[in-house]
C-alpha cells in the first residue's frame, strides 16, 4: 500500500549551516510520496535531505515544490550516503518552482547511482537559482550549484530567470519538452 505525506506552509529556520537537516526523508519501509511545498528553509546543513533507508524494495516519490530554500550549506541533498551502493529501487524526484539561492555548497546535490533513479530521472525544472543564466556546478550558469552523478538523467531546463515569487500563481505550469529558460523574453 502506498502512503503519502505532505509538509506545507512552514518556516524552518535552522541552528546554522554546520549541522542538522530541515527535513529528512529517511528509512521508510513502504512505498511513499513525500510532498514538501510552500515552505521557507534557511540556516541548515541540508534544508531537505533524502535517504532511502535500508529497505531496497520501497520506492519514494519526493516532490519539492514552491519553496524558498536559501542560505543553507546544501539546499536539497539527494545524495544517498551509505545506502547508494546497495539500493535496487528506482525513486522519482520532482523539484519545481523553488527559489534555490545562496546555498554555500550546492543548491541541489543529486549524486545518486543509476539504479536509484526511475526512468523519469531527476526533474529540477522551473527553479530560480539566483542568476538568470541558471545553475552552476555541473551546469554552465552562475546561480546556485547542482552537482549530479547522472547529468544525462538530471533535467534542469527550463529554469526561471527570476524569483518564483514574481510569477502569477496561474503561471505554475511544468513544461515537459523544455527548449529555453522560462521568462526568457527574447521575442520582445
Amino acid at each position: 500500500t502506498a502512503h503519502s505525506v505532505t509538509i506545507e506552509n512552514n518556516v524552518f529556520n535552522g541552528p546554522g549551516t554546520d549541522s542538522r537537516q530541515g527535513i529528512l526523508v529517511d528509512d521508510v519501509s513502504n512505498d511513499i510520496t513525500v510532498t514538501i511545498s510552500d515552505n521557507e528553509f534557511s540556516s541548515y546543513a541540508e534544508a531537505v535531505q533524502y535517504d532511502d533507508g535500508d529497505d531496497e524494495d520501497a520506492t519514494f516519490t519526493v516532490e519539492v515544490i514552491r519553496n524558498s530554500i536559501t542560505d543553507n550549506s546544501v539546499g536539497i541533498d539527494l545524495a544517498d550516503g551509505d545506502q547508494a551502493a546497495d539500493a535496487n529501487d528506482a525513486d522519482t524526484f520532482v523539484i519545481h518552482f523553488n527559489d534555490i539561492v545562496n546555498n554555500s555548497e550546492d543548491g541541489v546535490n543529486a549524486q545518486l547511482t543509476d539504479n536509484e533513479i526511475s526512468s523519469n530521472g531527476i526533474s529540477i525544472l522551473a527553479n530560480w537559482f539566483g542568476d538568470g543564466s541558471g545553475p552552476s556546478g555541473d551546469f554552465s550558469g552562475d546561480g546556485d550549484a547542482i552537482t549530479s552523478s547522472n547529468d544525462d538523467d538530471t533535467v534542469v531546463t527550463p529554469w526561471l530567470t527570476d524569483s518564483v515569487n514574481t510569477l502569477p500563481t496561474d503561471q505554475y505550469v511544468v513544461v515537459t519538452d523544455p527548449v529555453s529558460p522560462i521568462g526568457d523574453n527574447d521575442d520582445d
Side-chain angles (χ1 to χ4, degrees), residues 142-155:
D142 293 324
D144 267 29
I146 295 178
T147 303
S148 174
S149 56
N150 297 285
D151 292 348
D152 293 339
D153 294 324
T154 303
V155 180

Side-chain angles (χ1 to χ4, degrees), residues 140-185:
S140 61
D142 293 324
D144 267 29
I146 295 178
T147 303
S148 174
S149 56
N150 297 285
D151 292 348
D152 293 339
D153 294 324
T154 303
V155 180
V156 301
T157 58
W159 55 79
L160 298 177
T161 58
D162 204 350
S163 171
V164 70
N165 295 323
T166 64
L167 291 176
T169 56
D170 64 350
Q171 289 189 15
Y172 288 148
V173 176
V174 175
V175 179
T176 58
D177 188 16
V179 176
S180 64
I182 293 175
D184 188 9
N185 294 322

Side-chain angles (χ1 to χ4, degrees), residues 69-169:
I69 302 170
T70 61
D71 301 313
N72 303 283
S73 289
V74 177
I76 300 169
D77 188 0
L78 303 179
D80 197 22
D82 295 335
Q83 305 304 325
D86 300 327
N88 292 314
D89 52 17
D91 299 325
T92 301
F93 303 96
V94 176
I95 302 169
H96 295 170
F97 296 108
N98 298 284
D99 283 351
I100 303 172
V101 179
N102 293 330
N103 297 289
S104 61
E105 291 179 32
D106 285 319
V108 180
N109 179 6
Q111 296 188 50
L112 296 165
T113 62
D114 288 335
N115 62 341
E116 290 180 293
I117 303 170
S118 74
S119 60
N120 297 328
I122 302 172
S123 177
I124 309 176
L125 297 175
N127 294 287
W128 167 241
F129 294 98
D131 191 279
S133 64
S136 61
D138 290 346
F139 300 90
S140 61
D142 293 324
D144 267 29
I146 295 178
T147 303
S148 174
S149 56
N150 297 285
D151 292 348
D152 293 339
D153 294 324
T154 303
V155 180
V156 301
T157 58
W159 55 79
L160 298 177
T161 58
D162 204 350
S163 171
V164 70
N165 295 323
T166 64
L167 291 176
T169 56

